[in-house]
Each structure stands twice: as C-alpha cells, then as structure tokens.
Amino acid sequence: ERIEALLDMENLSMILILKANQIFYHLIKDQQIRLKKGHKIPSLEELKEKKCCMWHNSYSHFMTNCVVFWQVVQKGFNKS
C-alpha cells in the first residue's frame, strides 16, 4: 500500500509539472505573458528529468513550485 501511494504521488507530481508547462506555453502562444529578450525555452530533451522553471529560465526549481509564475497567472485571471 505504501509503495502504491508513493507511486501515485510521483504520478501526481509529474501531472502537475506537465500542466504547469502547458499553461506556460498557452500563455506565451496567446501573448498573455511575454519573456525578456534572449530568454531561451529549453527543448523537451533538455527538460527530461531535470528541475526547470521556464519563467525564470532556471534549473533550480520546478515551475509548479514557482511562486512568481503562479502570481502572474493569478493576475491574469483577476484581469479577466
């Protein structure tokens, strides 16, 4: 039971990471957020099994844990 619970948490964590990435790409595509000049979005290969915050262009944390990114998303919702 405990191993199954850990696997479920691992799957949930991966789902949240994918959703955060999807939200990010959607906001970029719809020009609801803009990145600084020279900001490089990593390829899927570069993202594989690495922490990555595409908002900060950083490999120090996942975007799901990025308070600043979620504040930007929340501001967008509040404007709607």
Side-chain angles (χ1 to χ4, degrees):
E1 286 180 33
R2 193 165 189 205
I3 292 174
E4 287 176 15
L6 288 173
L7 290 175
D8 286 344
M9 287 303 293
E10 213 172 279
N11 288 338
L12 178 59
S13 179
M14 187 56 73
I15 289 168
L16 292 174
I17 291 167
L18 291 172
K19 283 295 177 191
N21 291 345
Q22 287 175 343
I23 291 168
F24 177 79
Y25 286 122
H26 178 77
L27 294 174
I28 293 289
K29 183 180 142 199
D30 285 356
Q31 297 181 354
Q32 295 180 37
I33 59 173
R34 296 194 181 169
L35 302 175
K36 293 179 182 177
K37 189 175 182 176
H39 189 102
K40 182 181 179 254
I41 297 176
S43 69
L44 291 176
E45 189 61 36
E46 290 173 311
L47 292 175
K48 198 174 191 179
E49 298 179 21
K50 289 184 185 176
K51 288 182 182 180
C52 180
C53 176
M54 291 182 279
W55 178 255
H56 285 111
N57 206 19
S58 167
Y59 291 94
S60 66
H61 60 282
F62 287 111
M63 202 156 56
T64 51
N65 300 333
C66 182
V67 174
V68 176
F69 173 69
W70 291 114
Q71 287 173 343
V72 169
V73 170
Q74 186 62 51
K75 283 181 187 177
F77 283 128
N78 292 344
K79 287 181 182 179
S80 303

